[in-house]
C-alpha cells in the first residue's frame, strides 16, 4: 500500500495538484500489478482550509499521524501562506520523509519553504524561475544546483514551478511505478499536446484493452 499525504493549507493552489492527485486517487490508468494507493489530506489541525480557488477542505489527519517510509509520499502544494510559522512542523517532517526514502514532491511556494531550511542547498531542484528562490528565501544557498526546467526529479525529491504540475505528476507517477511506461508516455503526450491520437494510444495501453 502506498500512502499519499497531501498537505493542505489556506490559499492552496488547486491546479498544481490536479493531475497527480486525480490519477493516483482514481487509479484509472494503473497497470495490473500496481500497488494500491491511499490518499489522505493532512494539516497542522483539523480545521477546514480554503483553497485559492475557493474550495473548502477538511483534513483527514494531523501531521503527528503521518508515517514516513519507503511507501509514503508527501506532496507540498503551492500557497501564499507558507511563511506562516505554523507550517514549520510539516517542513521539518520533510527531512524525516526524505531520510526514510519516501517521495517528497514540492511545487511553487513549497519550494521556498524547503529552501528556507536548507533542503535545496545540495540537491538538484527547480522552482518558479531563476532568481525566485533568492527573492523569497534570503538563506537559500543552492544556486549551483538549480535547474531551469518545469520539474526536476532528484531521486526521491521532486520539485516544480507553478506551471510544472503536469511534468511533476509524470515524474511522481514514474517514481511510484504504478503506470506501464507506455501508458505514462501516452498520458503525458495527450495532456501536454491535446492531440487525439495520443488519447487513443493511451486507451490501447490499458490492461483491459490488452487481454486478447
Amino acid at each position: 500500500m502506498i500512502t499519499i499525504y497531501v498537505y493542505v493549507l489556506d490559499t492552496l493552489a488547486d491546479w498544481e495538484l490536479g493531475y497527480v492527485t486525480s490519477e493516483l486517487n482514481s487509479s484509472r490508468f494503473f497497470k495490473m500489478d500496481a500497488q494500491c494507493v491511499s490518499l489522505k489530506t493532512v494539516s497542522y489541525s483539523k480545521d477546514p482550509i480554503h483553497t485559492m480557488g475557493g474550495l473548502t477542505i477538511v483534513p483527514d489527519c494531523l501531521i503527528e499521524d503521518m508515517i514516513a517510509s519507503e511507501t509514503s509520499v508527501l506532496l507540498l502544494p503551492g500557497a501564499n501562506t507558507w511563511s506562516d510559522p505554523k507550517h514549520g512542523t510539516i517542513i521539518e517532517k520533510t527531512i524525516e520523509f526524505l531520510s526514510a526514502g519516501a517521495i517528497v514532491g514540492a511545487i511553487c511556494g513549497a519550494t521556498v519553504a524547503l529552501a528556507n531550511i536548507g533542503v535545496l542547498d545540495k540537491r538538484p531542484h527547480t522552482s518558479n524561475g531563476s532568481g525566485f528562490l533568492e527573492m523569497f528565501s534570503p538563506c537559500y544557498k543552492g544556486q549551483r544546483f538549480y535547474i531551469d526546467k518545469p520539474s526536476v526529479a532528484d531521486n526521491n525529491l521532486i520539485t516544480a514551478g507553478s506551471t510544472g504540475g503536469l511534468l511533476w505528476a509524470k515524474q511522481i507517477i514514474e517514481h511510484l511505478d504504478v503506470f506501464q511506461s507506455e501508458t505514462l508516455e501516452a498520458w503525458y503526450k495527450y495532456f501536454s499536446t491535446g492531440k487525439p491520437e495520443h488519447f487513443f494510444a493511451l486507451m490501447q495501453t490499458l490492461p483491459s484493452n490488452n487481454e486478447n
Side-chain angles (χ1 to χ4, degrees):
M1 172 73 76
I2 299 170
T3 303
I4 314 289
Y5 296 105
V6 180
Y7 189 70
V8 295
L9 67 171
D10 284 325
T11 72
L12 181 155
D14 314 60
W15 70 94
E16 294 174 351
L17 287 170
Y19 288 112
V20 68
T21 55
S22 60
E23 299 304 355
L24 292 177
N25 185 64
S26 71
S27 70
R28 58 179 179 164
F29 298 138
F30 278 21
K31 61 184 182 180
M32 290 290 288
D33 58 347
Q35 292 190 69
C36 294
V37 168
S38 172
L39 191 146
K40 299 179 179 182
T41 53
V42 59
S43 198
Y44 60 91
S45 79
K46 285 290 190 75
D47 293 337
I49 70 96
H50 304 285
T51 72
M52 199 175 295
L55 302 181
T56 300
I57 299 174
V58 179
D60 296 317
C61 61
L62 300 174
I63 296 170
E64 52 263 38
D65 300 322
M66 300 169 67
I67 298 173
S69 75
E70 290 184 352
T71 59
S72 302
V73 179
L74 173 58
L75 300 180
L76 305 173
N80 295 333
T81 52
W82 273 112
S83 59
D84 193 315
K86 62 191 173 189
H87 304 307
T89 303
I90 192 65
I91 295 304
E92 292 294 336
K93 195 76 171 178
T94 298
I95 298 174
E96 179 185 340
F97 268 65
L98 289 171
S99 297
I103 296 174
V104 172
I107 187 168
C108 192
T111 62
V112 177
L114 295 187
N116 285 337
I117 62 168
V119 169
L120 306 182
D121 285 353
K122 295 181 180 179
R123 299 188 64 155
H125 62 276
T126 193
S127 186
N128 291 338
S130 179
F132 177 81
L133 291 175
E134 289 89 340
M135 183 183 300
F136 293 99
S137 176
C139 56
Y140 170 63
K141 297 180 177 65
Q143 288 86 349
R144 67 191 183 98
F145 292 95
Y146 186 87
I147 299 173
D148 193 14
K149 291 183 177 180
S151 184
V152 170
D154 176 50
N155 295 316
N156 60 330
L157 175 64
I158 304 174
T159 54
S162 60
T163 60
L166 180 61
L167 181 56
W168 188 60
K170 178 178 184 284
Q171 292 175 327
I172 292 168
I173 293 168
E174 184 174 31
H175 198 101
L176 291 173
D177 193 29
V178 291
F179 280 24
Q180 296 184 92
S181 58
E182 58 267 33
T183 300
L184 183 57
E185 196 58 35
W187 175 87
Y188 183 71
K189 286 180 178 178
Y190 176 61
F191 283 103
S192 60
T193 69
K195 293 183 178 180
E197 59 262 36
H198 298 308
F199 172 78
F200 293 114
L202 169 61
M203 293 297 102
Q204 289 302 312
T205 70
L206 301 183
S208 59
N209 290 322
N210 294 322
E211 292 177 354
N212 298 319

